[in-house]
Amino acid sequence: MKTGLVGTILLGFALLATGNSVLAQDPPYNYAEALQKGLFFYAAQRSGELPDDNPVIWRGDSALLDGAAEGIDLTGGWYDAGDHVKFGLPMASTAATLGWAVYEYGDRLDADLLAQTKATIRWATDYFIKAHTAPEEFYYQVGDGSDDHAWWGPVEVVEEVMQRPAFAVTSSSPGSTVTAATATALAIASIIFADEAGYAATCLQHAKELFDFAWATQSDAGYAAAVGFYTSFNGFWDELSAAAAWLYLATDDPTYLAMAETAAGHWARDSSGKGRRTQNQIAYKWTHSWDDMHYMASILLARSTHEPLYIEAVERNLDYWLPGGGISYTPGGLAWLDQWGSLRYAANAAFLALVWSDTDLGGPLKKPDYVQFAERQVNYILGDNPRSSSYVIGFGSNPPHNPHHRTSHGAWYNDITAPTDNQHTLFGALVGGPDLNDNYSDDRGDYVSNEVATDYNAGLFGALIRMNAKYPGILLEGFPELDFTLPEERLPEYFVRARLLSESATSTQVITQTSNRSAWPATVRDQLKYRYFFDLAETFAAGYGVDGIVVTRGASEAGAISGPHPWGGTVYYIEVNLSGTKIYPAGRAESERDTTFTISAPSAAAWDPSNDWSHQGLVTSFTYEPVDYTGLTPYIALYDGNTLLSGLEPGDIGEPPPPPPPAIDMHVHDIDLSAASQGPRKYAVGAVTVVDVNGAWVANASVSINWSGIVSGTDTATTDSNGVVVFSSPKTKAAGTVTLKVTGITASGYKYQSQQNEASISWP
């Protein structure tokens, strides 16, 4: 039952009578923007295969094998907080609270925002329907909390790091709390999706079956995997009452209303209240949360029955939250219930206060106080606090930048401290909040004050709808595209770091580190390869071909090496192919691979690395610190398959290489010593004719020779136009044999094939 005409008139008179100024003041914040960004946060928490219109460009598909080990499809739903577990209880509470907000105030939302909000809720309810695999079987959790919390990395690669078991409750191992909470969310969905008759009917059917399952078992004996993370401290009666109350609204079946009241009879009681009625009062010193739906159910039962029991329970709780009512307040005005998620509780209480203020029940003179309380709490969250700072990421003045949230951090080394700042802005997320003295630190390591969670935003979202209806704001144009970090300002994602291990006159040895530090979004790559480019102009000029270049890879290192391959002109490259090796941002060993290679030439004349494209910028050392980018070179091109990921390919490739030599080798045709003079202290004169394989003379050849049997002397060599190399050898030998041997021949464009050509002459 919503606010009636009489209630609205009474509320208006009450506001005038109390001189309340809240209605008259200008809106201090753009509540429409806060709503818009709140929806972004829920899009960032999505699990499974993401739609094409998902606005979070740094998120990718994830956890696509959820449920596969159990033989079912459990993809979808939301990740709970800054981790990657899908906890059923807070997810159900969140979907129910968002659905309640649409039920109360959906008609006050812009049509596009309403559609987005319903799509957000449906992301969860679709998952609940999948997880409800039989009337008395429900998968309430995917992922192991302990394993998940022990690793710090982006969700897109979580399945490479750990198994994600699924946990179910059944008739023999029940969980009434989580099944009743899920029934609540689905019952609300059946109402707000009434314009989609088929989907609404599906939601209602699952809600009924889950409620029947929870009611029949009335036990949490099988709800074990979440204990220690989301333990049901309040038991299951609050969820049973809420589910039954919503099923009554969805069906008009009075049986559900009776069951809701039966469950309410089991709610916790508090005997420490004020006034005459101090005994056996319904507990009131908390607020709506993932563990306690009885505050929601109290409002529903009050409106459905008009019973004073429930009306008084609602107002006793709201009065407790008002200044002087018993709740603690920070010096800056925050109603502070608990350190863990202090803002979440204030926001939930604000939502309840606004819903009740719009109800034509209870004392009308109290309604302005409830409204003022709610607006004060929401405005505190948005920036009206001693720090003059917003607690909603990406909104207002000085908002948090480093929430305890793995994927928005964008780490790659399994290190919560690196990088220093979160790579992504988690727009719209509400952080845990300050302590009792308004102290807060934007510290990623402080998960109590600085974690975010889906349930933190749920009550705030409902309150913001109501406040935006009262103080209409303006939706941002171009959001979120205009707010993302520009590509050129992002940390490098895929790259090669390289350093020079050694270099000689004939070789270059390099060690490389191929890295995947992806975060836009994080990816698993198994087709990476890189190319190291070098210029062989000097090799060709020295008379060698490409096959004179030898490339080797370090033993037991990553990648298959090949080359040299022609690129263009005299530029060639070697390729180190890492295909088949998964490289992904989950830790040092997972995010990078080292490879050492050596390029060797046959002579100093054939090797000059100074003109090599990829030799530019090589460093002589770098560290393996998490955020070290020393040695990152753009001159080594990195590819995913055949797609260039990073780095630069050579631009000006220079002149083409010379044509291939006319013959593959040359050899000595003849050695003539017939004109040698004999005798002590005489000259020996020889001639060598050089020809190619076709027998043609090779002019301008240089010939290396060795005389044996000579005591002393110096060789000189001249070459005639017929390819005859004449040696004049002023050697000294008293007697014996003198031998001339050819040990090497070089000529531009030819390759020498070694032969043992020699001739001898004897002295008497």
Side-chain angles (χ1 to χ4, degrees):
M1 183 182 297
K2 297 192 179 183
T3 305
L5 177 60
V6 174
T8 303
I9 294 174
L10 286 174
L11 176 57
F13 279 124
L15 292 172
L16 292 173
T18 58
N20 187 282
S21 61
V22 175
L23 291 175
Q25 68 185 28
D26 292 331
Y29 300 102
N30 186 355
Y31 302 115
E33 176 190 347
L35 284 169
Q36 190 177 23
K37 291 181 173 177
L39 290 172
F40 179 97
F41 168 60
Y42 284 110
Q45 295 300 105
R46 285 175 171 174
S47 179
E49 184 177 354
L50 301 181
D52 293 338
D53 62 353
N54 201 62
V56 190
I57 64 173
W58 44 266
R59 277 298 326 281
D61 297 344
S62 60
L64 299 181
L65 297 178
D66 280 359
E70 291 76 21
I72 54 177
D73 177 10
L74 292 178
T75 58
W78 294 319
Y79 299 115
D80 171 54
D83 54 9
H84 311 127
V85 183
K86 295 192 295 197
F87 288 110
L89 185 53
M91 194 190 308
S93 173
T94 300
T97 306
L98 292 175
W100 187 16
V102 171
Y103 175 82
E104 299 291 342
Y105 301 125
D107 56 355
R108 306 190 191 190
L109 274 173
D110 165 270
D112 185 53
L113 273 183
L114 176 60
Q116 290 182 48
T117 303
K118 291 173 69 175
T120 296
I121 296 167
R122 184 162 180 166
W123 195 266
T125 54
D126 282 351
Y127 170 73
F128 296 150
I129 292 169
K130 285 183 179 181
H132 186 208
T133 47
E136 293 189 343
E137 181 178 80
F138 178 70
Y139 282 86
Y140 67 91
Q141 182 174 321
V142 179
D144 181 276
S146 296
D147 289 347
D148 188 275
H149 289 188
W151 174 73
W152 188 269
V155 71
E156 286 79 9
V157 302
V158 67
E159 286 183 317
E160 300 294 332
V161 179
M162 66 188 72
Q163 299 294 316
R164 290 174 56 81
F167 303 92
V169 288
T170 62
S171 56
S172 60
S173 184
S176 295
T177 294
V178 68
T179 48
T182 309
T184 302
L186 288 168
I188 299 172
S190 74
I191 300 173
I192 65 173
F193 286 100
D195 56 337
E196 301 178 51
Y199 188 68
T202 298
C203 290
L204 183 59
Q205 180 61 33
H206 283 276
K208 289 179 176 180
E209 291 181 358
L210 284 165
F211 174 76
D212 289 344
F213 176 26
W215 189 270
T217 53
Q218 294 182 6
S219 168
D220 280 334
Y223 180 76
V227 172
F229 300 96
Y230 286 96
T231 304
S232 178
F233 296 103
N234 283 303
F236 46 79
W237 291 111
D238 54 308
E239 285 83 11
L240 285 172
S241 61
W246 280 109
L247 282 167
Y248 169 64
L249 293 177
T251 64
D252 286 326
D253 183 344
T255 303
Y256 288 117
L257 181 59
M259 297 173 82
E261 291 204 78
T262 298
H266 293 273
W267 290 347
R269 294 305 198 257
D270 193 311
S271 60
S272 60
K274 296 182 179 180
R276 291 179 298 173
R277 295 192 174 189
T278 60
Q279 300 300 317
N280 202 34
Q281 294 176 150
I282 294 171
Y284 64 93
K285 294 181 181 179
W286 206 258
T287 191
H288 176 70
S289 71
W290 60 264
D291 187 37
D292 198 341
M293 286 188 169
H294 97 264
Y295 296 98
M296 169 200 278
S298 294
I299 293 177
L300 299 179
L301 289 174
R303 294 197 303 202
S304 295
T305 67
H306 290 199
E307 288 289 335
L309 173 67
Y310 306 117
I311 295 171
E312 291 174 5
V314 172
E315 296 199 334
R316 187 179 301 113
N317 170 247
L318 295 179
D319 291 346
Y320 176 76
W321 279 84
L322 296 179
I327 189 76
S328 297
Y329 269 77
T330 69
L334 174 66
W336 197 93
L337 178 66
D338 188 69
Q339 178 62 59
W340 200 299
S342 59
L343 296 175
R344 166 256 311 267
Y345 294 119
N348 288 356
F351 176 53
L352 266 58
L354 290 171
V355 170
W356 187 252
S357 72
D358 290 333
T359 301
D360 53 355
L361 295 172
L365 296 180
K366 291 184 176 183
K367 302 297 177 71
D369 292 335
Y370 297 153
V371 172
Q372 189 174 40
F373 158 78
E375 294 188 2
R376 178 71 187 91
Q377 299 307 302
V378 172
N379 289 339
Y380 181 101
I381 289 170
L382 299 183
D384 185 9
N385 54 60
R387 297 178 57 249
S388 298
S389 299
S390 168
Y391 287 101
V392 175
I393 299 169
F395 178 90
S397 175
N398 189 33
H401 294 281
N402 295 300
H404 185 87
H405 188 274
R406 288 160 175 77
T407 304
S408 72
H409 181 211
W412 55 84
Y413 255 34
N414 188 16
D415 188 338
I416 194 174
T417 68
T420 302
D421 294 319
N422 282 30
Q423 294 201 62
H424 309 300
T425 302
L426 190 62
F427 290 105
L430 176 67
V431 298
D435 66 15
L436 189 52
N437 294 309
D438 297 304
N439 296 316
Y440 168 80
S441 176
D442 184 16
D443 178 4
R444 187 183 309 111
D446 182 358
Y447 52 83
V448 175
S449 297
N450 218 31
E451 190 163 17
V452 297
T454 55
D455 74 290
Y456 283 19
N457 271 71
L460 176 63
F461 192 84
L464 286 169
I465 299 176
R466 173 65 167 77
M467 292 182 71
N468 185 62
K470 182 176 178 180
Y471 308 112
I474 301 173
L475 296 175
L476 301 183
E477 293 187 9
F479 175 81
E481 289 82 0
L482 298 181
D483 293 280
F484 288 129
T485 305
L486 296 174
E488 60 269 22
E489 296 176 357
R490 300 171 187 170
L491 294 177
E493 295 188 88
Y494 309 96
F495 57 88
V496 177
R497 293 204 294 162
R499 65 183 175 96
L500 198 61
L501 281 181
S502 65
E503 197 153 64
S504 70
T506 60
S507 67
T508 296
Q509 185 179 49
V510 176
I511 184 170
T512 64
Q513 179 193 88
T514 304
S515 294
N516 177 355
R517 299 182 181 180
S518 57
W520 292 86
T523 62
V524 178
R525 301 282 181 171
D526 62 1
Q527 297 295 317
L528 292 180
K529 64 183 181 182
Y530 69 81
R531 291 173 178 174
Y532 183 96
F533 298 92
F534 48 96
D535 197 321
L536 294 182
E538 67 277 3
T539 304
F540 299 130
Y544 295 92
V546 176
D547 50 358
I549 303 298
V550 178
V551 180
T552 56
R553 190 204 68 184
S556 303
E557 292 192 337
I561 197 165
S562 64
H565 304 286
W567 177 256
T570 57
V571 176
Y572 284 71
Y573 66 88
I574 62 167
E575 183 171 276
V576 177
N577 196 322
L578 298 161
S579 295
T581 299
K582 290 184 177 181
I583 305 177
Y584 50 95
R588 177 181 171 186
E590 294 83 4
S591 66
E592 60 195 33
R593 293 293 186 277
D594 288 353
T595 306
T596 300
F597 62 81
T598 304
I599 306 174
S600 302
S603 72
W607 187 245
D608 179 9
S610 65
N611 64 344
D612 292 346
W613 175 262
S614 296
H615 194 273
Q616 301 178 74
L618 291 183
V619 299
T620 56
S621 66
F622 55 63
T623 71
Y624 291 91
E625 295 298 320
V627 196
D628 188 11
Y629 292 98
T630 306
L632 191 160
T633 170
Y635 300 106
I636 298 178
L638 180 64
Y639 304 82
D640 181 30
N642 293 319
T643 301
L644 181 66
L645 277 182
S646 69
L648 303 170
E649 298 170 330
D652 183 4
I653 58 177
E655 297 297 323
I664 61 171
D665 70 320
M666 55 186 175
H667 59 274
V668 176
H669 176 70
D670 188 25
I671 298 177
D672 183 7
L673 296 178
S674 61
S677 299
Q678 301 180 13
R681 307 181 67 82
K682 300 293 184 179
Y683 291 98
V685 178
V688 177
T689 303
V690 180
V691 296
D692 64 21
V693 293
N694 298 316
W697 290 323
V698 178
N700 302 316
S702 297
V703 180
S704 300
I705 62 174
N706 179 57
W707 292 91
S708 61
I710 304 300
V711 175
S712 64
T714 303
D715 296 335
T716 60
T718 60
T719 308
D720 68 14
S721 60
N722 292 323
V724 178
V725 183
V726 179
F727 298 92
S728 175
S729 184
K731 304 296 184 180
T732 302
K733 180 70 177 179
T737 301
V738 178
T739 302
L740 169 69
K741 179 183 290 187
V742 176
T743 58
I745 308 172
T746 58
S748 180
Y750 290 85
K751 178 182 177 183
Y752 171 58
Q753 181 177 354
S754 178
Q755 298 186 31
Q756 300 297 316
N757 294 351
E758 61 182 51
S760 301
I761 190 169
S762 297
W763 271 258

